[in-house]
Amino acid sequence: MVAKWKQKQRIILPPELPPEVSEDEIEVSDEDRDFVDQNREFAGFLTTLDTQSITKHVTRVADVKEDALEALYEKRLKRKSLQKEKEDPGIQVDRVDALPVKTLDGQLYYRTATKASKASENDPTEEEASGAADKSIVKLTKAERRAKLKKSKKEAKKQGKEAEPEVEQTPQEAVLAEVKEDLTAEEAFESKKNKLAELGIALLADPTSNTKSLKEILQICKDNNHAIVKLGLLSLLAVFKDLIPGYRIRLPTEKELEMKVSKDVKKMRFYESTLLSVYKAYLQKLAALEKQSSFQHVAFRCICTLLDAAPHFNYRESLLGVVIRNIGSPDDVIRKLCCSTIKSLFTNEGKHGGEATVEAVRLIADHVKAHNCQLHPDSVEVFLSLSFDEDLGRAARNDEKHKPQSKKSKKKKHYEEARQLKENDKKRSRQELLTKTREEVAADYKAVAFTPDVMERRGMQTEALSAVFETYFRILKHTMHSSTSRSEANASLSTGASEPHPLLAPCLKGLGKFSHLIDMDFMGDLINYLKKLASGGSDSENTSKCLTVSERFRCSIVAFTVMKSNLDALNVDLQDFFVQLYNIILEYRPGRDQGEVLAEALKMMLCEDRQHDMQKAAAFVKRLATFSLCSGSAESMAALVTLKHLLLKNVKCRNLLENDAGGGSVSGSVAKYHPYASDPNLSGALASVLWELNLLTQHYHPAVSSMASSISSMNAATNQVYLSTISPQQAFTDFSLERPESFKPPSEVTLLYQLG
């Protein structure tokens, strides 16, 4: 009976409660609700459950009876320990603890020890352990045990921290730790590299089946390692260059998605949509990375390569916008990448049919306008790579000639067919259906044709050309206004200052190249602008001082190029440009100004097939001889070649080679030479002598000295063909100091002969 009563008094522990979850985190799906609504007859027992009894059974020990339960466990353990002590004869009372000990509960007990405790008298660690065991006899509550455990953990942690600095790591161990870290980093790097290679090879082998690999490579591009990110970007670049189709992807509409299609069509649609979405995400990643200095070069390399390889594909506008925004970047690498990409677009119009060219030209024009013409010269110099087909206008005119005949013949045939088919309605409807079908076929053929229509190409070419000339005229106008404002503000600028108009030089080059395409209505305004920029007269003296010598030379060159291209249509006096050339020749400084521009101006204005007045030719001969004395060998050679060309064309100017006491034998209208005259016609150069040639024969450069000697003995010389055929540009290039092989000093015997 006692055993049965003890079994009844035995407490059965409740099952463990499930983890607590807040009501906000519990989410009931729509499927669960639908299931309960559909099966309400099977869920009726949930409404009859006695929740109070369940809660009482589960939580009966949780609140009040928890301490009582623990006390019951402790009493049971004490009972077992007392029974063991009675049964075990080896347990005896210690002599020190002969008296009983009273606990906090009011109970008396004797401290006991085993036989092994005698051995522990000499061992202090055993005594400490026994003391700790004695202390543990006093039972603590649950909260006290938790606090004690927490305190012991804190003390152990503190002791560990205090003990850490005491353990010093040897140099060998530190090196080994670093090597292990490096090895693990290298292994991770190699594994990611191999994964990129595997994904790329799988994509190139079967793109439609491994489309998800694109997303995996894009995910790798988000790695924390910069080298892995760069490899991922370049891997995606190589993959996209190979996978991008030769057409723009058009996603299906909602109506098209509702239609039933084959499995192949579904597979192709999924492939194209995935390719386009990953491509868009890739471009967004590049746009974000191009603003970071550590990824700029890689990002721009990917952007420029994609635009160059697939200018016909989707999101071309975003790529063009990024490239043209950085076409004038201060970073040389980025600027050269962007400029080379735009030049490639202009030269390879077959890839995009000319549409990208028009967009790029329009964006560059807006970019120049937004920055008020203050950009790097390369941003406008890309226009020189444009090419315009002049045969489009002829083809259009030929089409217009043939079109009226074809329309008349079509109308005539249609009238005859309608007359014949009046009585038969079926034949008439059939003929209309055939005509409609032919028109649809022609429209589809035109849409898929590789080359655009002639009228479309002509329209795109006209739009691009108008944008180019709009940019050029804006630069000229800005130069005029800025120069006028500087002169009004009395800004102290010298001709050797840094160029305040960076876009003027490429603008003038472009005007010279496309001068034959300029509309005649704007030709007069262009010549007036160039005259004001290049002239040194009283009206625009301050304006000319704001430009460099090279820019003023270029203005004259462009004016002569425009006149040469439109010789039959224009009748403009170019005397002002000759006056400007005569005045600014002496302002030229080697090293500061561009010698190639000077040589081109001399060739264009003085050496072309143009007959000059005798006074003007003599003035330029005298001015070029003076210029040769104070210039480098290349500039002196270009000037002497021009001088000899003028003497060969104007026989009377050879009188300057005579050494009369009163000057040349022909004085002309002006009897005395005025070296400081601004107008070559009023200088009176025929009354002077070319004494400069005598000094030039002693020049340090053998080519210059031999040229001066040949000019001095021109009347007696017989072999003058080679030197007369050399142009100033060729002479400057051949004898420039940048080519050391062109300078061969004479021997000592030659020097002694020339000096003696």
Side-chain angles (χ1 to χ4, degrees), residues 295-302 304 323 326-341 376 378:
F295 295 104
Q296 268 188 343
H297 290 177
V298 177
F300 274 104
R301 179 183 172 187
C302 297
C304 294
V323 170
N326 295 274
I327 200 172
S329 173
D331 192 332
D332 293 339
V333 177
I334 295 175
R335 187 178 66 252
K336 288 178 181 178
L337 274 173
C338 296
C339 291
S340 62
T341 303
H376 195 277
D378 292 347

PDB file of all heavy atoms in Angstrom, residues 295-302 304 323 326-341 376 378:
ATOM      1  N   PHE A 295      37.549  51.467 -59.523  1.00  0.00           N
ATOM      2  CA  PHE A 295      36.937  50.682 -60.604  1.00  0.00           C
ATOM      3  C   PHE A 295      36.699  51.502 -61.873  1.00  0.00           C
ATOM      4  O   PHE A 295      36.078  50.988 -62.808  1.00  0.00           O
ATOM      5  CB  PHE A 295      35.596  50.096 -60.138  1.00  0.00           C
ATOM      6  CG  PHE A 295      35.709  49.107 -59.030  1.00  0.00           C
ATOM      7  CD1 PHE A 295      35.372  49.457 -57.735  1.00  0.00           C
ATOM      8  CD2 PHE A 295      36.161  47.826 -59.263  1.00  0.00           C
ATOM      9  CE1 PHE A 295      35.471  48.552 -56.703  1.00  0.00           C
ATOM     10  CE2 PHE A 295      36.263  46.901 -58.237  1.00  0.00           C
ATOM     11  CZ  PHE A 295      35.925  47.269 -56.955  1.00  0.00           C
ATOM     12  N   GLN A 296      37.160  52.746 -61.927  1.00  0.00           N
ATOM     13  CA  GLN A 296      36.824  53.614 -63.051  1.00  0.00           C
ATOM     14  C   GLN A 296      37.323  53.057 -64.374  1.00  0.00           C
ATOM     15  O   GLN A 296      36.563  52.961 -65.351  1.00  0.00           O
ATOM     16  CB  GLN A 296      37.409  55.015 -62.819  1.00  0.00           C
ATOM     17  CG  GLN A 296      36.460  55.971 -62.125  1.00  0.00           C
ATOM     18  CD  GLN A 296      36.992  57.373 -62.090  1.00  0.00           C
ATOM     19  OE1 GLN A 296      38.186  57.615 -62.295  1.00  0.00           O
ATOM     20  NE2 GLN A 296      36.136  58.328 -61.829  1.00  0.00           N
ATOM     21  N   HIS A 297      38.585  52.692 -64.431  1.00  0.00           N
ATOM     22  CA  HIS A 297      39.169  52.264 -65.704  1.00  0.00           C
ATOM     23  C   HIS A 297      38.516  50.985 -66.211  1.00  0.00           C
ATOM     24  O   HIS A 297      38.222  50.860 -67.410  1.00  0.00           O
ATOM     25  CB  HIS A 297      40.671  52.067 -65.542  1.00  0.00           C
ATOM     26  CG  HIS A 297      41.416  53.351 -65.343  1.00  0.00           C
ATOM     27  ND1 HIS A 297      42.768  53.422 -65.109  1.00  0.00           N
ATOM     28  CD2 HIS A 297      40.993  54.641 -65.340  1.00  0.00           C
ATOM     29  CE1 HIS A 297      43.153  54.676 -64.972  1.00  0.00           C
ATOM     30  NE2 HIS A 297      42.088  55.436 -65.112  1.00  0.00           N
ATOM     31  N   VAL A 298      38.272  50.032 -65.314  1.00  0.00           N
ATOM     32  CA  VAL A 298      37.632  48.777 -65.735  1.00  0.00           C
ATOM     33  C   VAL A 298      36.197  49.035 -66.191  1.00  0.00           C
ATOM     34  O   VAL A 298      35.748  48.485 -67.214  1.00  0.00           O
ATOM     35  CB  VAL A 298      37.665  47.762 -64.579  1.00  0.00           C
ATOM     36  CG1 VAL A 298      36.945  46.488 -64.969  1.00  0.00           C
ATOM     37  CG2 VAL A 298      39.087  47.450 -64.184  1.00  0.00           C
ATOM     38  N   ALA A 299      35.476  49.868 -65.460  1.00  0.00           N
ATOM     39  CA  ALA A 299      34.082  50.152 -65.821  1.00  0.00           C
ATOM     40  C   ALA A 299      33.997  50.837 -67.181  1.00  0.00           C
ATOM     41  O   ALA A 299      33.163  50.465 -68.029  1.00  0.00           O
ATOM     42  CB  ALA A 299      33.436  51.020 -64.741  1.00  0.00           C
ATOM     43  N   PHE A 300      34.853  51.821 -67.419  1.00  0.00           N
ATOM     44  CA  PHE A 300      34.806  52.519 -68.716  1.00  0.00           C
ATOM     45  C   PHE A 300      35.283  51.621 -69.852  1.00  0.00           C
ATOM     46  O   PHE A 300      34.809  51.756 -70.983  1.00  0.00           O
ATOM     47  CB  PHE A 300      35.650  53.787 -68.647  1.00  0.00           C
ATOM     48  CG  PHE A 300      34.898  54.966 -68.119  1.00  0.00           C
ATOM     49  CD1 PHE A 300      35.099  55.411 -66.833  1.00  0.00           C
ATOM     50  CD2 PHE A 300      33.963  55.612 -68.893  1.00  0.00           C
ATOM     51  CE1 PHE A 300      34.401  56.489 -66.331  1.00  0.00           C
ATOM     52  CE2 PHE A 300      33.254  56.688 -68.407  1.00  0.00           C
ATOM     53  CZ  PHE A 300      33.472  57.122 -67.120  1.00  0.00           C
ATOM     54  N   ARG A 301      36.209  50.743 -69.555  1.00  0.00           N
ATOM     55  CA  ARG A 301      36.633  49.798 -70.591  1.00  0.00           C
ATOM     56  C   ARG A 301      35.471  48.903 -71.003  1.00  0.00           C
ATOM     57  O   ARG A 301      35.251  48.656 -72.199  1.00  0.00           O
ATOM     58  CB  ARG A 301      37.796  48.953 -70.062  1.00  0.00           C
ATOM     59  CG  ARG A 301      38.306  47.925 -71.054  1.00  0.00           C
ATOM     60  CD  ARG A 301      39.404  47.083 -70.429  1.00  0.00           C
ATOM     61  NE  ARG A 301      39.778  45.982 -71.285  1.00  0.00           N
ATOM     62  CZ  ARG A 301      40.613  45.010 -70.954  1.00  0.00           C
ATOM     63  NH1 ARG A 301      41.173  45.029 -69.746  1.00  0.00           N
ATOM     64  NH2 ARG A 301      40.908  44.038 -71.778  1.00  0.00           N
ATOM     65  N   CYS A 302      34.705  48.420 -70.025  1.00  0.00           N
ATOM     66  CA  CYS A 302      33.544  47.569 -70.333  1.00  0.00           C
ATOM     67  C   CYS A 302      32.468  48.359 -71.081  1.00  0.00           C
ATOM     68  O   CYS A 302      31.889  47.868 -72.064  1.00  0.00           O
ATOM     69  CB  CYS A 302      32.973  46.987 -69.045  1.00  0.00           C
ATOM     70  SG  CYS A 302      34.089  45.890 -68.155  1.00  0.00           S
ATOM     71  N   CYS A 304      32.750  51.147 -72.938  1.00  0.00           N
ATOM     72  CA  CYS A 304      33.174  51.516 -74.295  1.00  0.00           C
ATOM     73  C   CYS A 304      33.230  50.298 -75.210  1.00  0.00           C
ATOM     74  O   CYS A 304      32.852  50.381 -76.390  1.00  0.00           O
ATOM     75  CB  CYS A 304      34.529  52.210 -74.238  1.00  0.00           C
ATOM     76  SG  CYS A 304      34.515  53.802 -73.401  1.00  0.00           S
ATOM     77  N   VAL A 323      29.350  57.684 -71.994  1.00  0.00           N
ATOM     78  CA  VAL A 323      30.590  57.909 -72.758  1.00  0.00           C
ATOM     79  C   VAL A 323      30.769  59.388 -73.079  1.00  0.00           C
ATOM     80  O   VAL A 323      31.861  59.948 -72.910  1.00  0.00           O
ATOM     81  CB  VAL A 323      30.571  57.048 -74.041  1.00  0.00           C
ATOM     82  CG1 VAL A 323      31.715  57.438 -74.962  1.00  0.00           C
ATOM     83  CG2 VAL A 323      30.677  55.582 -73.692  1.00  0.00           C
ATOM     84  N   ASN A 326      31.857  61.808 -70.334  1.00  0.00           N
ATOM     85  CA  ASN A 326      33.269  61.721 -69.952  1.00  0.00           C
ATOM     86  C   ASN A 326      34.197  61.863 -71.153  1.00  0.00           C
ATOM     87  O   ASN A 326      35.362  61.472 -71.072  1.00  0.00           O
ATOM     88  CB  ASN A 326      33.536  60.381 -69.267  1.00  0.00           C
ATOM     89  CG  ASN A 326      32.809  60.250 -67.954  1.00  0.00           C
ATOM     90  OD1 ASN A 326      33.292  60.668 -66.912  1.00  0.00           O
ATOM     91  ND2 ASN A 326      31.617  59.664 -67.996  1.00  0.00           N
ATOM     92  N   ILE A 327      33.704  62.424 -72.257  1.00  0.00           N
ATOM     93  CA  ILE A 327      34.542  62.579 -73.441  1.00  0.00           C
ATOM     94  C   ILE A 327      35.593  63.667 -73.248  1.00  0.00           C
ATOM     95  O   ILE A 327      36.607  63.699 -73.949  1.00  0.00           O
ATOM     96  CB  ILE A 327      33.654  62.872 -74.672  1.00  0.00           C
ATOM     97  CG1 ILE A 327      34.400  62.559 -75.959  1.00  0.00           C
ATOM     98  CG2 ILE A 327      33.161  64.314 -74.669  1.00  0.00           C
ATOM     99  CD1 ILE A 327      33.534  62.636 -77.182  1.00  0.00           C
ATOM    100  N   GLY A 328      35.360  64.563 -72.300  1.00  0.00           N
ATOM    101  CA  GLY A 328      36.347  65.591 -71.974  1.00  0.00           C
ATOM    102  C   GLY A 328      36.924  65.406 -70.588  1.00  0.00           C
ATOM    103  O   GLY A 328      37.295  66.388 -69.935  1.00  0.00           O
ATOM    104  N   SER A 329      37.016  64.149 -70.130  1.00  0.00           N
ATOM    105  CA  SER A 329      37.484  63.859 -68.771  1.00  0.00           C
ATOM    106  C   SER A 329      38.947  64.265 -68.603  1.00  0.00           C
ATOM    107  O   SER A 329      39.758  64.140 -69.531  1.00  0.00           O
ATOM    108  CB  SER A 329      37.319  62.367 -68.484  1.00  0.00           C
ATOM    109  OG  SER A 329      37.903  62.019 -67.258  1.00  0.00           O
ATOM    110  N   PRO A 330      39.333  64.742 -67.409  1.00  0.00           N
ATOM    111  CA  PRO A 330      40.750  65.062 -67.176  1.00  0.00           C
ATOM    112  C   PRO A 330      41.636  63.831 -67.134  1.00  0.00           C
ATOM    113  O   PRO A 330      42.853  63.948 -67.293  1.00  0.00           O
ATOM    114  CB  PRO A 330      40.726  65.781 -65.814  1.00  0.00           C
ATOM    115  CG  PRO A 330      39.457  65.354 -65.161  1.00  0.00           C
ATOM    116  CD  PRO A 330      38.484  65.115 -66.263  1.00  0.00           C
ATOM    117  N   ASP A 331      41.057  62.646 -66.917  1.00  0.00           N
ATOM    118  CA  ASP A 331      41.834  61.405 -66.937  1.00  0.00           C
ATOM    119  C   ASP A 331      42.122  61.033 -68.390  1.00  0.00           C
ATOM    120  O   ASP A 331      41.212  60.832 -69.196  1.00  0.00           O
ATOM    121  CB  ASP A 331      41.044  60.291 -66.245  1.00  0.00           C
ATOM    122  CG  ASP A 331      41.890  59.068 -65.959  1.00  0.00           C
ATOM    123  OD1 ASP A 331      42.866  58.845 -66.706  1.00  0.00           O
ATOM    124  OD2 ASP A 331      41.599  58.343 -65.001  1.00  0.00           O
ATOM    125  N   ASP A 332      43.397  60.909 -68.729  1.00  0.00           N
ATOM    126  CA  ASP A 332      43.778  60.647 -70.112  1.00  0.00           C
ATOM    127  C   ASP A 332      43.285  59.287 -70.589  1.00  0.00           C
ATOM    128  O   ASP A 332      42.852  59.146 -71.749  1.00  0.00           O
ATOM    129  CB  ASP A 332      45.301  60.724 -70.264  1.00  0.00           C
ATOM    130  CG  ASP A 332      45.827  62.130 -70.039  1.00  0.00           C
ATOM    131  OD1 ASP A 332      45.029  63.078 -70.171  1.00  0.00           O
ATOM    132  OD2 ASP A 332      47.027  62.286 -69.721  1.00  0.00           O
ATOM    133  N   VAL A 333      43.340  58.285 -69.735  1.00  0.00           N
ATOM    134  CA  VAL A 333      42.933  56.936 -70.141  1.00  0.00           C
ATOM    135  C   VAL A 333      41.441  56.901 -70.460  1.00  0.00           C
ATOM    136  O   VAL A 333      41.022  56.380 -71.507  1.00  0.00           O
ATOM    137  CB  VAL A 333      43.277  55.927 -69.028  1.00  0.00           C
ATOM    138  CG1 VAL A 333      42.790  54.538 -69.397  1.00  0.00           C
ATOM    139  CG2 VAL A 333      44.775  55.907 -68.759  1.00  0.00           C
ATOM    140  N   ILE A 334      40.633  57.485 -69.582  1.00  0.00           N
ATOM    141  CA  ILE A 334      39.181  57.484 -69.793  1.00  0.00           C
ATOM    142  C   ILE A 334      38.830  58.315 -71.028  1.00  0.00           C
ATOM    143  O   ILE A 334      37.987  57.911 -71.843  1.00  0.00           O
ATOM    144  CB  ILE A 334      38.478  58.020 -68.532  1.00  0.00           C
ATOM    145  CG1 ILE A 334      38.712  57.079 -67.354  1.00  0.00           C
ATOM    146  CG2 ILE A 334      36.983  58.200 -68.778  1.00  0.00           C
ATOM    147  CD1 ILE A 334      38.166  57.579 -66.039  1.00  0.00           C
ATOM    148  N   ARG A 335      39.463  59.483 -71.169  1.00  0.00           N
ATOM    149  CA  ARG A 335      39.146  60.346 -72.311  1.00  0.00           C
ATOM    150  C   ARG A 335      39.499  59.658 -73.638  1.00  0.00           C
ATOM    151  O   ARG A 335      38.739  59.724 -74.617  1.00  0.00           O
ATOM    152  CB  ARG A 335      39.898  61.660 -72.175  1.00  0.00           C
ATOM    153  CG  ARG A 335      39.498  62.694 -73.238  1.00  0.00           C
ATOM    154  CD  ARG A 335      40.222  63.998 -73.060  1.00  0.00           C
ATOM    155  NE  ARG A 335      41.653  63.875 -73.285  1.00  0.00           N
ATOM    156  CZ  ARG A 335      42.572  63.921 -72.326  1.00  0.00           C
ATOM    157  NH1 ARG A 335      42.214  64.090 -71.068  1.00  0.00           N
ATOM    158  NH2 ARG A 335      43.857  63.792 -72.595  1.00  0.00           N
ATOM    159  N   LYS A 336      40.655  59.005 -73.691  1.00  0.00           N
ATOM    160  CA  LYS A 336      41.050  58.335 -74.935  1.00  0.00           C
ATOM    161  C   LYS A 336      40.130  57.167 -75.248  1.00  0.00           C
ATOM    162  O   LYS A 336      39.807  56.916 -76.424  1.00  0.00           O
ATOM    163  CB  LYS A 336      42.492  57.864 -74.818  1.00  0.00           C
ATOM    164  CG  LYS A 336      43.505  59.004 -74.861  1.00  0.00           C
ATOM    165  CD  LYS A 336      44.927  58.499 -74.697  1.00  0.00           C
ATOM    166  CE  LYS A 336      45.913  59.661 -74.719  1.00  0.00           C
ATOM    167  NZ  LYS A 336      47.306  59.201 -74.507  1.00  0.00           N
ATOM    168  N   LEU A 337      39.696  56.436 -74.210  1.00  0.00           N
ATOM    169  CA  LEU A 337      38.752  55.342 -74.440  1.00  0.00           C
ATOM    170  C   LEU A 337      37.439  55.852 -75.026  1.00  0.00           C
ATOM    171  O   LEU A 337      36.921  55.297 -76.010  1.00  0.00           O
ATOM    172  CB  LEU A 337      38.490  54.614 -73.121  1.00  0.00           C
ATOM    173  CG  LEU A 337      39.452  53.495 -72.706  1.00  0.00           C
ATOM    174  CD1 LEU A 337      39.119  53.012 -71.307  1.00  0.00           C
ATOM    175  CD2 LEU A 337      39.405  52.344 -73.681  1.00  0.00           C
ATOM    176  N   CYS A 338      36.912  56.912 -74.431  1.00  0.00           N
ATOM    177  CA  CYS A 338      35.633  57.464 -74.906  1.00  0.00           C
ATOM    178  C   CYS A 338      35.764  58.030 -76.316  1.00  0.00           C
ATOM    179  O   CYS A 338      34.897  57.806 -77.172  1.00  0.00           O
ATOM    180  CB  CYS A 338      35.143  58.540 -73.936  1.00  0.00           C
ATOM    181  SG  CYS A 338      34.751  57.931 -72.282  1.00  0.00           S
ATOM    182  N   CYS A 339      36.837  58.750 -76.583  1.00  0.00           N
ATOM    183  CA  CYS A 339      37.010  59.347 -77.918  1.00  0.00           C
ATOM    184  C   CYS A 339      37.193  58.276 -78.987  1.00  0.00           C
ATOM    185  O   CYS A 339      36.631  58.378 -80.085  1.00  0.00           O
ATOM    186  CB  CYS A 339      38.208  60.292 -77.904  1.00  0.00           C
ATOM    187  SG  CYS A 339      37.964  61.790 -76.935  1.00  0.00           S
ATOM    188  N   SER A 340      37.983  57.245 -78.682  1.00  0.00           N
ATOM    189  CA  SER A 340      38.167  56.177 -79.665  1.00  0.00           C
ATOM    190  C   SER A 340      36.854  55.432 -79.937  1.00  0.00           C
ATOM    191  O   SER A 340      36.594  55.014 -81.076  1.00  0.00           O
ATOM    192  CB  SER A 340      39.232  55.203 -79.172  1.00  0.00           C
ATOM    193  OG  SER A 340      38.828  54.593 -77.959  1.00  0.00           O
ATOM    194  N   THR A 341      36.013  55.291 -78.913  1.00  0.00           N
ATOM    195  CA  THR A 341      34.718  54.625 -79.112  1.00  0.00           C
ATOM    196  C   THR A 341      33.804  55.454 -80.010  1.00  0.00           C
ATOM    197  O   THR A 341      33.159  54.916 -80.921  1.00  0.00           O
ATOM    198  CB  THR A 341      34.047  54.390 -77.752  1.00  0.00           C
ATOM    199  OG1 THR A 341      34.915  53.631 -76.917  1.00  0.00           O
ATOM    200  CG2 THR A 341      32.739  53.648 -77.915  1.00  0.00           C
ATOM    201  N   HIS A 376      37.762  69.808 -73.123  1.00  0.00           N
ATOM    202  CA  HIS A 376      39.019  69.389 -73.745  1.00  0.00           C
ATOM    203  C   HIS A 376      38.850  69.386 -75.269  1.00  0.00           C
ATOM    204  O   HIS A 376      37.779  69.049 -75.781  1.00  0.00           O
ATOM    205  CB  HIS A 376      39.400  67.991 -73.249  1.00  0.00           C
ATOM    206  CG  HIS A 376      40.816  67.620 -73.528  1.00  0.00           C
ATOM    207  ND1 HIS A 376      41.227  67.109 -74.740  1.00  0.00           N
ATOM    208  CD2 HIS A 376      41.928  67.708 -72.754  1.00  0.00           C
ATOM    209  CE1 HIS A 376      42.530  66.880 -74.700  1.00  0.00           C
ATOM    210  NE2 HIS A 376      42.978  67.235 -73.495  1.00  0.00           N
ATOM    211  N   ASP A 378      39.669  67.315 -77.453  1.00  0.00           N
ATOM    212  CA  ASP A 378      39.313  66.011 -78.019  1.00  0.00           C
ATOM    213  C   ASP A 378      37.809  65.805 -78.102  1.00  0.00           C
ATOM    214  O   ASP A 378      37.344  64.999 -78.922  1.00  0.00           O
ATOM    215  CB  ASP A 378      39.924  64.894 -77.171  1.00  0.00           C
ATOM    216  CG  ASP A 378      41.436  64.868 -77.267  1.00  0.00           C
ATOM    217  OD1 ASP A 378      41.974  65.536 -78.172  1.00  0.00           O
ATOM    218  OD2 ASP A 378      42.084  64.205 -76.434  1.00  0.00           O
TER     219      ASP A 378
END
